[in-house]
Amino acid sequence: MKSFIVILSIIISFTSCKQNQDNKEFPKKTLSDTTTVQSNKTKNQQIHYFDTTFVVNKQNFQFTINDIDEENVTLTFIRNSKKIKTDTISSIGLGSFEFIDFNKDGNTDIQFTYLGNNPTFYLYLFDSKNNEFKNVKDFEKFSYSIQLKTNPKYYYSYHRAGCADYNWVSDLFYIDHFTAIQIGHIYGQGCEFEVKENPQVIEIFKITGTNGENKKQIEKLPYAKNITRFDEKWDFIEKYWNANYKKFE
């Protein structure tokens, strides 16, 4: 996993480009680094800008990003030359965005990455019924989300939880009516410091309730038996969710 450093005094610009593709993946658009020192004059210049055109579901779309002020940018969606949506999002920590087919439905989606110790992701899924992009509510709770191979309805996430990433969390969720709904949670405590006082363990919970307020432990596994090396946790997480998602339905 890559980490990035964003320096707020840096002048960043997204190069304007025009692309016409039919439901094809676009390259990731990242903020570029420079050592240029800002003058008072350039502080007032635009630092976030992007403008592109593409085709989704046989509709022509234009997508633009523009600064409002030092803390916010606008996202504007234009379909067949008609503006259909303008959203305002925070620009603080905005590191990159990319055009992907997140849910593998054959249509282009847009994902934003906000930088931090645990990066935060915001997702706009394409709504093929209404031919528009919709923000997925609560998706920002789930970092580095991956679709299950055994059931594409579900996704699992990952984020670090301390002790130099030896402690970690993975959540199981699905998306319904453009809302991310959590149904499972794994807490892995693999920290090797003071193991007697803080035993290594993998705790697995089923999450229920309208807002995921109910949490019931369904398994407790010995950490060292299931994950003998630091890098084996990725395989454990992938295999566990793909094999056991039915326990959380």
Side-chain angles (χ1 to χ4, degrees):
M1 298 183 182
K2 298 180 180 179
S3 59
F4 299 86
I5 300 176
V6 173
I7 304 175
L8 295 180
S9 62
I10 290 174
I11 302 174
I12 309 297
S13 64
F14 289 114
T15 303
S16 176
C17 66
K18 297 289 183 180
Q19 296 177 330
N20 290 286
Q21 299 188 24
D22 190 357
N23 301 338
K24 293 182 180 179
E25 226 173 82
F26 286 71
K28 189 173 184 178
K29 308 299 179 182
T30 59
L31 300 180
S32 58
D33 291 339
T34 176
T35 57
T36 303
V37 178
Q38 275 189 317
S39 65
N40 289 332
K41 180 179 179 180
T42 59
K43 285 181 180 179
N44 296 322
Q45 293 179 347
Q46 190 171 51
I47 60 174
H48 298 98
Y49 174 74
F50 187 78
D51 186 343
T52 192
T53 59
F54 53 98
V55 176
V56 185
N57 201 28
K58 299 181 179 180
Q59 303 289 312
N60 293 312
F61 284 89
Q62 182 179 0
F63 170 65
T64 66
I65 296 175
N66 283 283
D67 284 323
I68 299 176
D69 49 39
E70 294 181 353
E71 297 182 352
N72 299 283
V73 297
T74 58
L75 312 178
T76 302
F77 300 86
I78 298 171
R79 183 183 64 226
N80 298 328
S81 301
K82 182 179 179 181
K83 186 186 295 185
I84 59 172
K85 181 193 291 284
T86 299
D87 282 355
T88 299
I89 65 172
S90 173
S91 64
I92 299 174
L94 178 59
S96 66
F97 70 95
E98 55 188 323
F99 294 89
I100 58 174
D101 183 0
F102 179 81
N103 54 1
K104 305 296 189 296
D105 67 349
N107 295 313
T108 299
D109 308 306
I110 305 173
Q111 182 173 268
F112 294 85
T113 303
Y114 283 82
L115 308 180
N117 185 45
N118 280 307
T120 303
F121 298 84
Y122 288 80
L123 178 66
Y124 279 79
L125 280 181
F126 184 73
D127 177 4
S128 58
K129 180 178 180 181
N130 297 298
N131 282 314
E132 63 175 321
F133 291 87
K134 291 184 178 180
N135 178 252
V136 178
K137 181 182 178 184
D138 294 332
F139 183 78
E140 66 275 10
K141 297 177 181 179
F142 309 106
S143 299
Y144 299 109
S145 299
I146 298 175
Q147 193 173 47
L148 292 191
K149 296 176 181 177
T150 51
N151 190 332
K153 172 184 176 181
Y154 299 108
Y155 305 84
Y156 66 91
S157 66
Y158 176 89
H159 73 259
R160 64 185 69 187
C163 195
D165 204 16
Y166 276 87
N167 295 342
W168 48 268
V169 167
S170 181
D171 295 307
L172 183 69
F173 69 98
Y174 65 95
I175 297 173
D176 183 48
H177 291 88
F178 299 94
T179 298
I181 301 173
Q182 182 184 9
I183 57 173
H185 175 83
I186 300 176
Y187 173 65
Q189 182 162 300
C191 190
E192 298 175 341
F193 180 70
E194 296 182 345
V195 174
K196 289 184 178 181
E197 293 78 8
N198 301 287
Q200 294 175 307
V201 66
I202 300 172
E203 297 177 307
I204 302 169
F205 302 85
K206 183 174 183 177
I207 308 297
T208 58
T210 305
N211 298 309
E213 63 271 17
N214 299 322
K215 185 177 178 181
K216 179 182 178 181
Q217 186 176 93
I218 62 172
E219 286 190 80
K220 190 172 183 179
L221 307 175
Y223 196 97
K225 182 178 179 179
N226 289 275
I227 303 174
T228 59
R229 300 193 317 269
F230 177 84
D231 59 350
E232 287 184 346
K233 62 183 176 180
W234 315 116
D235 289 336
F236 170 83
I237 294 168
E238 179 183 6
K239 290 177 181 178
Y240 183 87
W241 288 130
N242 274 282
N244 296 283
Y245 70 86
K246 290 183 179 180
K247 295 180 180 179
F248 304 88
E249 292 182 325

